[in-house]
Amino acid sequence: MDRAELEENVLSLIEELCGDGVVWDEQDIDLFSEGLFDSLIAIEFLVEIEERFGVFIAPTEVEREEMNTPRKIVDRIQERL
Amino acid sequence: MSFYTDPAFFVIAAVLAVPAVMLGLLARHCRYYSLVASVIMLAFLLGSDLRETATLLGCLALCFGLTQGVLKLFQKEARHRVRLFRVALALMVCPLLAVKVCGLFGDNLFGFVGVSYLTFKTVQVLIEVRDGLIRHVSLLDYLSFLLFFPVFVSGPITRSRDYVGQMNDALTRDGYVQLLAEGILWMLRGVMYTFVLASFFEWLMWFAPASIVGSSWQCEALRQLSYAFAYGLYLFFDFAGYSFMAMGFGAFFGIRVPLNFNAPFRSIDIKDFWNRWHITLSFWLRDFVFMRMMRSVMKHKLFASRTTGACLGYLVEMTLMGAWHGLTPSYLLYGVYHGVLLASCELFQKTGLYKRNRRKRWFKLASWAITMIAVFFGFSLFSGQVVSVILGGR
């Protein structure tokens, strides 16, 4: 899976979970401080990426600041693919 | 000698901090020295209590053994490793469980100061070993992390990878000087909170109700209210002050101890409150209880809706929090109460009313006021005030 394809899949997953399409336009938006993500959505997100991309990230593996924007999320998944 | 209250504590800790500060200014870590200092402090803490000392040592040996065992199981990808991990986890919380149950009968047979906080730390290491985030545990680092005296008795709850990482990272002189300066400020703030403000509110807890005379029910209500208000502020300044002093001492030893309180009385909803009040506890519960529970709930699709699962999750998480404080009716009620509040908050934030208005000024103000009332009522549950009023005494 190349970066563009991964990006598209991840962004649509984020949109699906938080119900807001803003992530397509602003890839550096802080999902937590904007209220798009909370710890509950975050954990569902981790479960989903494990199922869809086979990438396992433990809940305390990554600091929140390293995974709080769509761009950073794609980075973290790409590192593990 | 008890920590952070006896004058002797401050004198001895300050003397022990001197070599650490000197090492820091030479840009050197005090890896070994910090363990030595902690052992000396704990010797003063435990005093001549051989039973407590033996329990602590036994507990450390048990936890280290279990951690090494689980580490081996996962390195070898042994069969039944997950099941054995669960057994190890259960054994690890046994001492705490024994203390809490004995506490119910006013018995302190298995207890030692700091057992609650120690358990948080040993469990964190064990779970992260299972997750594959920790691949090596040296006895020295393990002891240094668990016994680090500034946070030994009542937190903030540090995390092992953060602690060991800080201890092993290259230290620069400038970096240390910066940390030291911050540490001195934290220390001053902590002293101010604990010895000035908390003392004032502690006095107010008795003075305010006593100054309201009259036997009508309004007077009685006012007495109860003033007590609850003063108690809430006392609790905050006492605990936050202590936590800031712990951050101060941590900094002297080159460790940035995580923040435990971040202006909790500015919380605009109850979720916000738990991100600001006793932060290291609520984040620990979030990371090691709530998120893991939610993870398995979602994986096995136990509930049709995410919200139902979350509400139940909050209830379990907070009840556990209450039980951890103690198995008395007041603490258990306090836990269940906050579970219900968080679940209600979760449900409310799904409504159109919330989504339409959440950014409006009046809404935030109303939300803040309601949160504060709920929070102070929670404190009066915690203090036992509510239960004793219900039982008809004071």
Side-chain angles (χ1 to χ4, degrees):
Chain A
M1 204 185 309
D2 62 9
R3 173 90 188 185
E5 198 184 335
L6 177 67
E7 216 167 78
E8 193 173 325
N9 286 330
V10 171
L11 288 180
S12 58
L13 173 59
I14 298 176
E15 183 185 2
E16 211 176 293
L17 291 178
C18 66
D20 197 325
V22 67
V23 291
W24 291 95
D25 307 319
E26 291 179 56
Q27 297 213 3
D28 292 309
I29 189 172
D30 185 330
L31 294 167
F32 290 96
S33 68
E34 288 300 313
L36 297 169
F37 261 36
D38 56 24
S39 51
L40 203 59
I41 298 182
I43 200 73
E44 185 164 19
F45 183 76
L46 292 183
V47 172
E48 287 292 330
I49 59 170
E50 191 179 344
E51 282 178 3
R52 295 190 192 188
F53 310 110
V55 169
F56 173 74
I57 302 179
T60 51
E61 188 169 343
V62 184
E63 289 292 321
R64 206 166 258 206
E65 297 76 52
E66 290 165 32
M67 216 170 159
N68 56 354
T69 71
R71 194 185 307 278
K72 289 183 196 166
I73 289 175
V74 176
D75 289 344
R76 295 296 90 78
I77 297 174
Q78 201 171 27
E79 287 163 6
R80 288 170 175 78
L81 272 176
Chain B
M1 179 183 84
S2 55
F3 281 14
Y4 294 98
T5 48
D6 275 349
F9 165 82
F10 291 96
V11 176
I12 300 168
V15 170
L16 287 172
V18 171
V21 172
M22 281 172 12
L23 281 169
L25 291 175
L26 295 169
R28 295 199 30 205
H29 263 303
C30 49
R31 259 185 93 197
Y32 304 102
Y33 176 67
S34 125
L35 179 58
V36 172
S38 294
V39 169
I40 296 174
M41 289 307 287
L42 291 189
F44 278 112
L45 175 72
L46 297 165
S48 57
D49 196 330
L50 285 178
R51 191 196 46 74
E52 260 193 56
T53 312
T55 323
L56 171 63
L57 290 176
C59 200
L60 289 172
L62 172 78
C63 292
F64 186 70
L66 289 171
T67 307
Q68 291 297 336
V70 171
L71 205 59
K72 293 264 168 3
L73 286 174
F74 278 83
Q75 269 165 1
K76 287 191 199 148
E77 305 199 353
R79 282 177 59 204
H80 306 307
R81 58 183 184 277
V82 175
R83 209 168 293 166
L84 288 167
F85 156 77
R86 288 188 187 137
V87 174
L89 186 63
L91 286 173
M92 211 171 242
V93 296
C94 267
L96 179 63
L97 212 63
V99 170
K100 293 293 167 190
V101 173
C102 288
L104 269 187
F105 305 104
D107 194 356
N108 196 24
L109 192 61
F110 299 106
F112 56 89
V113 196
V115 62
S116 314
Y117 285 89
L118 189 76
T119 308
F120 278 120
K121 291 187 247 187
T122 55
V123 166
Q124 172 255 310
V125 175
L126 194 74
I127 292 181
E128 292 195 338
V129 163
R130 180 212 180 283
D131 285 348
L133 302 179
I134 297 174
R135 293 173 197 282
H136 176 74
V137 180
S138 83
L139 181 62
L140 197 80
D141 283 340
Y142 195 66
L143 290 179
S144 165
F145 163 63
L146 292 180
L147 301 180
F148 191 52
F149 84 87
V151 300
F152 183 79
V153 174
S154 34
I157 305 162
T158 46
R159 302 269 178 109
S160 67
R161 282 183 299 137
D162 178 46
Y163 179 88
V164 174
Q166 289 194 58
M167 271 292 174
N168 291 311
D169 264 357
L171 191 72
T172 61
R173 188 169 180 275
D174 284 352
Y176 182 77
V177 170
Q178 168 78 25
L179 185 62
L180 183 66
E182 283 175 36
I184 292 170
L185 289 179
W186 284 325
M187 184 62 80
L188 292 175
R189 188 170 174 187
V191 167
M192 175 78 187
Y193 273 28
T194 304
F195 296 109
V196 180
L197 294 165
S199 302
F200 169 73
F201 286 109
E202 196 179 13
W203 167 79
L204 199 66
M205 272 159 64
W206 307 110
F207 179 77
S211 63
I212 300 165
V213 277
S215 54
S216 64
W217 68 268
Q218 289 97 331
C219 287
E220 180 56 25
L222 215 57
R223 273 195 288 273
Q224 294 291 349
L225 276 177
S226 63
Y227 177 84
F229 180 73
Y231 174 78
L233 289 172
Y234 156 74
L235 187 67
F236 166 70
F237 284 114
D238 188 56
F239 197 7
Y242 156 77
S243 299
F244 282 122
M245 288 193 279
M247 288 173 81
F249 275 121
F252 300 161
F253 284 83
I255 292 293
R256 196 175 285 275
V257 170
L259 188 68
N260 224 5
F261 290 88
N262 178 18
F265 299 123
R266 286 174 59 181
S267 317
I268 61 162
D269 60 51
I270 202 73
K271 281 189 192 170
D272 192 23
F273 174 74
W274 282 107
N275 286 332
R276 292 166 173 277
W277 176 271
H278 207 170
I279 299 169
T280 58
L281 171 70
S282 64
F283 282 17
W284 193 98
L285 289 168
R286 181 195 73 191
D287 290 343
F288 297 106
V289 179
F290 184 77
M291 290 185 98
R292 279 154 216 275
M293 212 159 62
M294 286 300 103
R295 197 185 173 89
S296 58
V297 162
M298 283 170 191
K299 268 195 165 161
H300 302 109
K301 309 219 172 355
L302 294 179
F303 297 102
S305 95
R306 185 166 70 207
T307 316
T308 317
C311 289
L312 203 74
Y314 282 130
L315 211 58
V316 173
E317 180 194 17
M318 284 291 132
T319 307
L320 198 69
M321 185 274 297
W324 167 77
H325 278 106
L327 296 171
T328 64
S330 285
Y331 290 139
L332 290 173
L333 263 175
Y334 176 70
V336 173
Y337 170 75
H338 270 286
V340 171
L341 284 184
L342 281 168
S344 321
C345 180
E346 179 70 26
L347 289 173
F348 177 66
Q349 292 187 344
K350 294 278 175 268
T351 62
L353 179 71
Y354 172 77
K355 285 180 180 159
R356 273 195 307 279
N357 298 308
R358 72 189 182 102
R359 293 193 190 279
K360 291 179 186 156
R361 210 182 161 77
W362 68 267
F363 185 82
K364 282 185 184 169
L365 200 68
S367 180
W368 170 80
I370 293 168
T371 305
M372 285 305 113
I373 294 169
V375 159
F376 274 89
F377 183 74
F379 292 150
S380 59
L381 276 172
F382 186 79
S383 71
Q385 189 190 357
V386 173
V387 171
S388 70
V389 167
I390 292 170
L391 296 179
R394 268 200 69 175

